[in-house]
Amino acid sequence: MKRIVLETNRLLLREMTLSDMGALSSILQDERVMYAYNGAFNEEETMVWMQKQLQRYKDYGFGLWGVFLKDTDEMIGQCGITMQEYKTVQVPEIGYKYWHKGYAVEAATACRKYGFNTLKFDELYSIIRDTNVASQKVALRNGMNPIDSIVKHYRGVDMPHLVYCVRKDS
């Protein structure tokens, strides 16, 4: 059964299942969408990514969820909360993948509320590649402020990232 986690005016965010692999592949294997990851994923990387999300659902009860348009049930991206390493500790991160129709802000805002009200985190982070200006704008519109910069090593490349944070009491 596909568990709906969040609902907004236009979107449903739900746990993904293996039956979503086709839609997920069309997103993660698109060069334009995955530019911040230094290129699109191949089939194997897409499956590994999906398995990681399924494991997060089991381990934490949350992860990146599929974002679906209510009207068409089309998967348009992913958004959710994951645990990411930042300065040697695990922090809750709001992550998202899609662009240019206001869906990212709508979904990320819902995830922020869920992270504070349901998961009871005191602060949430977004760790965004320095070249990903669109995601930086989403973080700002989601009430986050830049607090640090770090370098992540991914796919054989050192990638500078900006760290954004929002606190529950702000």
Side-chain angles (χ1 to χ4, degrees):
M1 175 138 176
K2 298 178 180 182
R3 184 173 83 90
I4 295 173
V5 179
L6 293 168
E7 184 173 346
T8 70
N9 289 337
R10 302 180 294 169
L11 308 172
L12 291 175
L13 282 71
R14 68 163 173 79
E15 289 184 354
M16 291 177 283
T17 67
L18 291 177
S19 67
D20 295 314
M21 280 300 295
L24 180 65
S25 293
S26 70
I27 295 167
L28 297 184
Q29 294 176 18
D30 183 324
E31 290 288 339
R32 295 170 301 141
V33 174
M34 298 300 289
Y35 74 93
Y37 288 82
N38 219 36
F41 286 9
N42 62 32
E43 286 290 330
E44 182 180 342
E45 291 168 321
T46 301
M47 180 55 79
V48 167
W49 190 94
M50 173 64 93
Q51 294 294 344
K52 183 183 275 188
Q53 302 321 308
L54 298 175
Q55 192 62 48
R56 285 175 170 158
Y57 301 157
K58 289 178 187 172
D59 292 347
Y60 302 110
F62 57 89
L64 289 178
W65 304 300
V67 177
F68 296 82
L69 293 175
K70 279 185 179 178
D71 295 343
T72 64
D73 199 39
E74 173 191 3
M75 181 193 278
I76 58 166
Q78 306 85 43
C79 188
I81 300 173
T82 61
M83 299 303 291
Q84 295 293 326
E85 186 169 323
Y86 169 60
K87 291 193 173 183
T88 70
V89 297
Q90 295 289 309
V91 297
E93 178 190 30
I94 297 174
Y96 37 87
K97 290 178 181 63
Y98 39 69
W99 31 290
H100 302 311
K101 297 211 186 276
Y103 298 132
V105 172
E106 187 174 330
T109 300
C111 288
R112 183 192 71 226
K113 291 175 184 174
Y114 185 84
F116 289 147
N117 299 331
T118 303
L119 299 177
K120 304 297 183 194
F121 289 119
D122 291 325
E123 53 191 20
L124 296 165
Y125 295 79
S126 285
I127 302 172
I128 304 168
R129 191 162 178 196
D130 67 340
T131 57
N132 192 345
V133 175
S135 289
Q136 293 169 31
K137 289 179 181 179
V138 170
L140 291 169
R141 289 185 63 193
N142 198 18
M144 299 181 135
N145 294 303
I147 61 164
D148 200 0
S149 61
I150 60 173
V151 175
K152 287 186 163 194
H153 188 76
Y154 185 71
R155 300 178 101 181
V157 177
D158 286 334
M159 298 181 185
H161 283 67
L162 301 174
V163 179
Y164 288 77
C165 183
V166 63
R167 290 178 175 73
K168 186 175 187 173
D169 57 7
S170 62

